[in-house]
Amino acid sequence: MTRSRDARGRLVRLPLVIAFLAVTACFGLYVWLRWPRPSLPPDVVARRAMEAFVNGDYATLLGYVNEEEKELLNLNEESLAECVNRLYKPNTKGFKPSGEVVLHQASERDALAMQGYTHPDGRKFQVSILVAAGERDAEVYGLVFFLVQASLHAKMPPEVVSAGGPAFRQGLLEAFEEELPVLTSLKIPGDTVSGDGRQIFRSWDDMHKHFKERASRSASSAR
């Protein structure tokens, strides 16, 4: 009789145990989804973003780019691929990587990954990816800006780049003006710059004015 009662008791308790375990599992899942989890550090994001760019994995790369920049620039896989194929690749044809990716960090909250490239004729440029840790995860900032800079620097003769000063500013302006027809035909309407803690849109025309002003100021200061 006692064994029969014990068996019935266990059968009564079994559904309660199952219900308890189910509730515990659901609560644990809720906590796991809502509880802040440590994000990847900036240096890891910078290296992974650079690797994605080099491999042409634009989906992964865009996953690291901050949402504000993507919204302002209509930045998606299609528009990024167009920018790379029509601006970056034509200007960097024949270049080979020079060394490994170099990582710079001014603090634990930022990282700058840089990959150098060299052409047989002596031209050099660098692809840079800037990562900063905001309120959420560490994210990529200024992707289009650095992509345009790399493309322009790749066009410039090495003696102009190394000269610096007015010659460099003028060379950069001329390189930009050569690429302006391509830039203005892209789905990406410009780039972004940081200001007051947010991303500010800058059209290609605005960027053109910026290059002209810098070249003019540099030439005036050298007189």
Side-chain angles (χ1 to χ4, degrees), residues 2 14 17 36 59 68 70 91 99 120 125 131 133 149 152 160 166 176-179 193:
T2 301
L14 183 60
V17 172
E68 190 175 14
K70 287 189 283 190
N91 286 305
F125 77 94
V131 174
Q149 291 289 324
L152 298 181
V160 173
F176 181 84
E177 290 178 337
E178 288 177 6
E179 296 300 325
V193 292

Side-chain angles (χ1 to χ4, degrees), residues 164-189:
F168 173 75
R169 298 299 181 196
Q170 184 61 33
L172 200 59
L173 171 61
E174 292 173 0
F176 181 84
E177 290 178 337
E178 288 177 6
E179 296 300 325
L180 194 53
V182 173
L183 290 167
T184 54
S185 68
L186 296 176
K187 294 180 177 66
I188 296 174

Side-chain angles (χ1 to χ4, degrees), residues 81-108:
E82 180 194 37
C83 184
V84 171
N85 292 333
R86 295 186 57 204
L87 176 69
Y88 176 79
K89 285 187 177 180
N91 286 305
T92 60
K93 186 177 181 180
F95 283 82
K96 300 295 182 183
S98 52
E100 301 295 326
V101 173
V102 177
L103 191 71
H104 298 281
Q105 284 191 275
S107 71
E108 293 182 353

Side-chain angles (χ1 to χ4, degrees), residues 205-218:
D205 285 340
D206 292 336
M207 197 172 186
H208 189 195
K209 293 176 184 177
H210 171 73
F211 280 130
K212 286 197 291 187
E213 289 171 357
R214 292 186 70 182
S216 177
R217 285 198 304 268
S218 183

Side-chain angles (χ1 to χ4, degrees), residues 113-136:
M114 305 177 72
Q115 174 63 67
Y117 291 86
T118 303
H119 193 276
D121 65 10
R123 285 178 293 152
K124 297 179 181 181
F125 77 94
Q126 289 182 325
V127 173
S128 302
I129 292 184
L130 175 66
V131 174
E135 295 179 356
R136 300 183 300 171

Side-chain angles (χ1 to χ4, degrees), residues 53 56-59 61-62 74-90 143-144 147 186-188:
F53 174 74
D57 185 357
Y58 303 136
L61 175 58
L62 288 169
N74 184 35
L75 197 54
N76 52 47
E77 287 185 63
E78 181 183 1
S79 62
L80 178 57
E82 180 194 37
C83 184
V84 171
N85 292 333
R86 295 186 57 204
L87 176 69
Y88 176 79
K89 285 187 177 180
L143 176 63
V144 174
L147 188 58
L186 296 176
K187 294 180 177 66
I188 296 174

